[in-house]
């Protein structure tokens, strides 16, 4: 019987497949474990899945109806159409949808996906037979004699660029559809150059709008190709909320003030909800949120930056375009970027003049994001604490041992990230009396703090540790009552105190609650 030859795009390679005249009893197409729905451009097709596909490597999004980025064989196993032995599967193309759900079934945990432009579902297929020989069609290669191009296993990626990155893009009505698309294009270029892979960087995306939306998580995609598809699928949310609260906000806020409210809320949401073990965060890998700001907000985002640091997240600001005159008049703090990032040394910010011709900015930004040592800045404890050292200067210590104590204090202070938005250090020396050597607000650089510690003069006298604790809590920690940092008092002493220590220590604990 004559065969009609139909072209089919499969895994990026054109393949000629025979179809029986009249369309009945079509030969199933042999596919790989990782062939996706989007690789098959037909409304209905019978395919043949191989045996022994590794369940843990399947990427499946949804339940019953699957996003087209899902593995066909993985979806078939998940739905129970086939087992580990593989077999024939019939694939039906469906329209895209929102909110693909996560369900555990048949050894596979499918993943959530907020939106995708195309879907498919699967049913049990029928294995066609060769009419002349009655033999089953081989699963090794298609009958046309042209070998399928195999999909490579998920690549390890750039092992020298290990980071878990959330791109926080502006989806507010202020940026508009055109600049939103340019923003997405730039993010896609950055994602491609990062070298995404199982052992390299993982990325996700959050859209800042009236209600922040996590478009996809770190665990959803581990290949650059899939990430690019996902970014392309992200739709512009804009100001699509009709709630009274939003309308009143719009009426009473200038555009840049509304953008500030949106951005601050989205940054907090990302720090608290995006970076969790359940969503794909890896232990020991820097957590980074890259915030895109179009223009300048009318206030700083310091509060949201502090929240991010408390969750161990490094804030990286990419600012685009200078503020327009109307915005500049409302900017309360031109140093808002320094207060939002985890270290105000210029490393954690990047500026582009506009959204056009951004290709040349991709590589420098990627190089920063891949600097592992710098990106370990937010370690929570190391840059969000207030530490006061209460140093015994009594006669029993002696000058030589006192210098040893100062060296000990310096070595501890050396390990913290001291800055006006990071860790803060204070020191009090005590005998029967107390002397504040310096407070939390006196010095905001590590160099200055270490220099002052080295030059502390030895007092000499009796030992009243209890009084010294009460003095430090009242005079050193008291003014820091509203600080977001956690408070620690380190007492360095050589022996027994002449006064009660237990009561003041208990009071200090109570004051810290």
């Amino acid at each position: 019987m004559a065969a009609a030859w139909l072209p089919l795009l499969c895994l990026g390679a054109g393949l000629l497949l025979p179809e029986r005249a009249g369309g009945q009893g079509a030969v199933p197409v042999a596919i790989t474990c990782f062939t996706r729905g989007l690789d098959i451009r037909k409304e209905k097709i019978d395919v043949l899945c191989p045996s022994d596909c590794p369940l843990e490597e399947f990427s499946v999004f949804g339940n019953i109806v699957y996003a087209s980025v899902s593995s066909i064989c993985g979806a078939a196993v998940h739905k129970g159409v086939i087992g580990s032995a593989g077999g024939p599967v019939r694939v039906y193309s469906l329209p895209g949808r929102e909110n693909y759900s996560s369900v555990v079934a048949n050894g596979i945990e499918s993943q959530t996906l907020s939106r995708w432009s195309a879907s498919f579902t699967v049913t049990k297929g029928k294995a066609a037979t060769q009419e002349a020989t009655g033999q089953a069609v081989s699963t090794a290669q298609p009958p046309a004699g042209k070998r399928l191009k195999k999909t490579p296993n998920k690549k390890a990626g750039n092992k020298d660029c290990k980071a878990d990155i959330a791109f926080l893009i502006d989806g507010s009505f202020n940026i508009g559809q055109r600049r939103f698309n340019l923003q997405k294009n730039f993010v896609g270029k950055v994602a491609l150059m990062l070298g995404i892979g199982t052992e390299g960087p993982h990325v996700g995306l959050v859209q800042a709008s009236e209600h922040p939306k996590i478009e996809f998580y770190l665990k959803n995609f581990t290949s650059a190709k899939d990430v690019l598809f996902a970014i392309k699928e992200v739709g512009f949310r804009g100001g699509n909320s009709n709630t009274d609260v939003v309308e009143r906000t719009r009426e009473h806020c200038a555009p840049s003030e509304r953008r500030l409210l949106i951005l601050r809320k989205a940054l907090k949401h990302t720090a608290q909800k995006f970076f969790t073990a359940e969503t794909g965060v890896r232990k020991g890998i820097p957590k980074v949120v890259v915030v895109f700001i179009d223009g300048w907000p009318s206030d700083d985002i310091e509060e949201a930056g502090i929240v991010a640091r408390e969750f161990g997240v490094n804030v990286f600001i990419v600012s685009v375009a200078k503020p327009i005159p109307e915005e500049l008049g409302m900017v309360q703090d031109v140093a808002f970027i320094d207060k939002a990032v985890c270290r105000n040394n210029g490393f954690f910010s990047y500026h582009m003049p506009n959204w056009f011709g951004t290709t040349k900015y991709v590589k420098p930004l990627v190089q920063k994001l891949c600097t592992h040592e710098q990106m370990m800045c937010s370690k929570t404890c190391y840059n969000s604490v207030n530490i006061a050292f209460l140093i015994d200067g009594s006669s029993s210590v002696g000058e030589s041992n006192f210098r040893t104590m100062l060296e000990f204090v310096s070595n501890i202070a050396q390990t913290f990230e001291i800055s006006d938005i990071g860790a803060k250090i204070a020191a009090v020396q005590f005998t029967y009396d107390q002397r504040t050597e310096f407070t939390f607000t006196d010095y905001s650089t590590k160099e200055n703090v270490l220099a002052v510690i080295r030059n502390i003069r030895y007092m000499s006298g009796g030992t009243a540790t209890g009084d010294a604790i009460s003095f430090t809590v009242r005079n050193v920690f008291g003014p820091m009552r509203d600080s977001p940092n956690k408070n620690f008092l380190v007492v360095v002493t050589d022996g027994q105190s002449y006064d009660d220590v237990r009561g003041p220590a208990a009071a200090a604990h109570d004051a810290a609650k």
Side-chain angles (χ1 to χ4, degrees), residues 115-226:
R115 179 178 177 271
W116 202 258
S117 61
S119 310
F120 69 90
T121 190
V122 291
T123 62
K124 186 72 175 177
K126 293 182 179 181
T129 58
Q130 294 283 19
E131 198 172 85
T133 63
Q135 295 176 346
V137 177
S138 169
T139 62
Q141 61 183 25
K146 188 170 182 180
R147 190 177 299 275
L148 271 171
K149 185 177 180 181
K150 291 185 177 180
T151 301
N153 283 337
K154 294 180 180 179
K155 296 181 179 179
N158 182 4
K159 296 181 181 180
D160 295 325
C161 181
K162 290 188 176 182
D164 288 340
I165 302 171
F167 292 111
L168 178 54
I169 63 174
D170 187 350
S172 68
F173 52 84
N174 295 282
I175 193 171
Q177 181 72 63
R178 185 188 184 199
R179 283 186 294 169
F180 178 78
N181 290 337
L182 292 171
Q183 178 184 215
K184 283 204 309 178
N185 290 341
F186 179 74
V187 172
K189 292 175 185 177
V190 173
L192 186 62
M193 185 168 282
L194 279 170
I196 296 165
T198 54
E199 299 181 45
H202 291 181
V203 305
L205 190 139
V206 182
Q207 186 173 173
S209 60
E210 308 286 4
H211 302 285
K213 183 180 182 183
I214 297 175
E215 301 290 352
F216 57 91
Y217 289 100
L218 296 166
K219 70 176 184 179
N220 288 152
F221 308 106
T222 53
S223 75
K225 184 178 180 180
D226 288 344

Side-chain angles (χ1 to χ4, degrees), residues 404-457:
T404 301
M405 293 167 71
L406 294 183
E407 183 179 356
F408 171 75
V409 170
S410 295
N411 289 338
I412 296 177
Q414 177 76 39
T415 64
F416 289 87
E417 297 298 336
I418 302 169
S419 71
D420 58 345
I421 60 170
K424 295 177 174 58
I425 305 294
V428 174
Q429 185 180 174
F430 72 95
T431 56
Y432 283 139
D433 297 318
Q434 304 85 33
R435 185 173 74 198
T436 302
E437 304 294 349
F438 59 95
T439 68
F440 290 121
T441 57
D442 287 340
Y443 303 102
S444 59
T445 68
K446 184 180 297 187
E447 293 74 16
N448 288 341
V449 167
L450 296 179
V452 174
I453 292 174
R454 285 193 297 267
N455 291 322
I456 291 177
R457 293 179 291 105

Side-chain angles (χ1 to χ4, degrees), residues 305-370:
I306 290 172
V307 171
R309 290 196 299 277
E310 288 180 346
F311 279 84
V313 178
N314 300 283
V315 178
F316 198 105
I317 303 290
V318 177
S319 57
V320 182
K322 294 181 179 180
I324 60 176
E326 291 81 359
E327 289 180 320
L328 191 59
M330 293 182 290
V331 173
Q332 297 181 18
D333 188 354
V334 295
F336 72 93
I337 290 180
D338 287 341
K339 293 184 178 180
V341 299
C342 87
R343 188 184 299 161
N344 58 342
N345 58 0
F347 180 85
F348 290 89
S349 59
Y350 196 72
H351 180 73
M352 299 189 300
N354 53 59
W355 287 113
F356 301 96
T358 57
T359 302
K360 62 185 176 182
Y361 301 109
V362 173
K363 186 175 181 180
L365 177 57
V366 168
Q367 288 174 335
K368 283 194 171 190
L369 295 177
C370 290

